[in-house]
Amino acid sequence: MAGAQSIDQQIASINATSLADVSAFHHDFYGASQGELAIVGDFDVAAVTKVIQDEFGTWQSAAPYARVIRHNFDVAPMQKVINSPDKENGFYVARLNLDMRDDDADYPAMMVANYLFGGGGLKSRLVDRVRQKEGLSYGIGSSLDISAISRAARFSIQAISAPQNLNKVDQAVKEELARVIKDGFSADELARAKSGILQENQSSRSQDSALSAGWARLLDLDRTFAWSKQIEDKISALTLNQVNEAFRKRIDPSQLSVVIVRDEAKAKANAVATTKP
């Protein structure tokens, strides 16, 4: 199996692609043989069903369908700086691979932990420390990508900052990770996360577009919104110890890979300017 392409290799592949290549791929792999369709709103079921059958009923995929399953594997942690000249802002990305699926017992606890650490919008450990307290970043947050079909999960952190501040961002992120591992989250934080997650879910389901997209995702996994209700019930029942222990078990700061992208010249010049009396 070919490895991941570098940016230069991706550009070369795109430049080498012809219209005939695109047409052949569409012919071989596109079709309605496998798929889910969710429609939400006030509509005539019989009329809509007829249109779907007329338009897509004979559109069969030439190639057989099979899921592409990603596999989890350990990656040696690295710390890398990429010079990106003439960019005003710098970017920070940190990632940790996780061996996890969304049917693991501690999945709800990890959802809550991520929400509190950096996934909760403008109120989280990362935002409070890096943006609000120290003013180092215009935006920062964490995300948790956990699949229903693959154990190749990941925990990641992203930030945008002035080039000269990115080393301090990195230090603050690692200090906050260490603090949570050592001291855990608080009962007040847990209550806020439970309320925030459940309210966000309820608000999302009030929008037809989100509801139809949710149905399509669930149908693809042979699930219904009953599964979502089960996850929400588990979140509501979580104890503080379950959340803290899940984060300690899954997140190893020593295995975090960090990539910083910035204009090195601007970073050095601005760092010197800020240190002058």
Side-chain angles (χ1 to χ4, degrees):
M1 180 180 293
Q5 289 185 324
S6 67
I7 293 176
D8 288 339
Q9 289 172 328
Q10 293 177 42
I11 292 172
S13 294
I14 292 172
N15 288 334
T17 301
S18 67
L19 178 59
D21 293 330
V22 176
S23 298
F25 183 84
H26 185 276
H27 175 270
D28 292 342
F29 292 99
Y30 276 63
S33 302
Q34 299 284 339
E36 289 76 29
L37 176 66
I39 302 174
V40 175
D42 184 7
F43 59 92
D44 186 321
V45 175
V48 170
T49 301
K50 184 178 185 307
V51 171
I52 295 170
Q53 291 293 341
D54 291 346
E55 295 296 328
F56 300 107
T58 60
W59 188 29
Q60 301 298 306
S61 305
Y65 169 77
R67 292 187 187 274
V68 177
I69 306 296
R70 294 183 298 155
H71 296 283
N72 178 66
F73 54 92
D74 293 330
V75 176
M78 69 173 182
Q79 187 94 12
K80 185 177 181 65
V81 176
I82 299 175
N83 185 33
S84 181
D86 301 322
K87 300 294 183 183
E88 290 299 320
N89 294 321
F91 297 88
Y92 173 94
V93 179
R95 170 172 170 151
L96 175 66
N97 284 358
L98 302 175
D99 179 15
M100 191 172 184
R101 255 178 38 161
D102 72 1
D103 52 2
D104 287 359
D106 58 351
Y107 170 69
M110 282 300 296
M111 288 182 63
V112 169
N114 175 67
Y115 183 93
L116 289 173
F117 188 73
L122 293 178
K123 181 61 179 176
S124 68
R125 288 290 185 99
L126 286 179
V127 171
D128 288 350
R129 166 73 185 275
V130 178
R131 176 176 171 170
Q132 308 295 9
K133 180 181 177 181
E134 298 190 17
L136 296 173
S137 175
Y138 311 120
I140 187 168
S142 66
S143 59
L144 194 62
D145 181 11
I146 301 177
S147 169
I149 60 176
S150 164
R151 298 199 66 81
R154 72 172 182 265
F155 171 73
S156 57
I157 300 165
Q158 312 83 30
I160 180 173
S161 171
Q164 69 273 16
N165 288 336
L166 284 167
N167 289 350
K168 293 180 180 179
V169 170
D170 182 41
Q171 180 180 352
V173 166
K174 291 173 179 175
E175 288 177 357
E176 288 305 309
L177 278 172
R179 183 173 289 113
V180 173
I181 297 296
K182 179 177 180 291
D183 300 328
F185 298 105
S186 69
D188 287 343
E189 285 179 303
L190 175 59
R192 175 173 61 81
K194 288 182 178 182
S195 175
I197 291 172
L198 298 179
Q199 287 183 24
E200 287 178 9
N201 289 353
Q202 291 171 2
S203 175
S204 175
R205 289 195 293 267
S206 69
Q207 304 172 42
D208 287 352
S209 58
L211 195 58
S212 59
W215 264 121
R217 286 192 298 270
L218 290 166
L219 288 170
D220 180 51
L221 301 169
D222 294 324
R223 291 172 174 172
T224 70
F225 272 105
W227 182 86
S228 300
K229 177 64 164 56
Q230 291 172 2
I231 296 297
E232 291 178 355
D233 289 344
K234 290 177 181 178
I235 289 174
S236 296
L238 283 172
T239 66
L240 184 60
N241 183 65
Q242 287 174 319
V243 174
N244 287 333
E245 286 306 307
F247 197 79
R248 292 184 180 115
K249 171 187 173 184
R250 297 287 185 178
I251 305 301
D252 182 355
S254 69
Q255 297 303 304
L256 198 70
S257 288
V258 174
V259 177
I260 290 172
V261 181
R262 66 187 175 194
D263 184 326
E264 286 287 86
K266 281 190 174 68
K268 292 175 182 178
N270 291 336
V272 170
T274 57
T275 58
K276 287 184 178 179

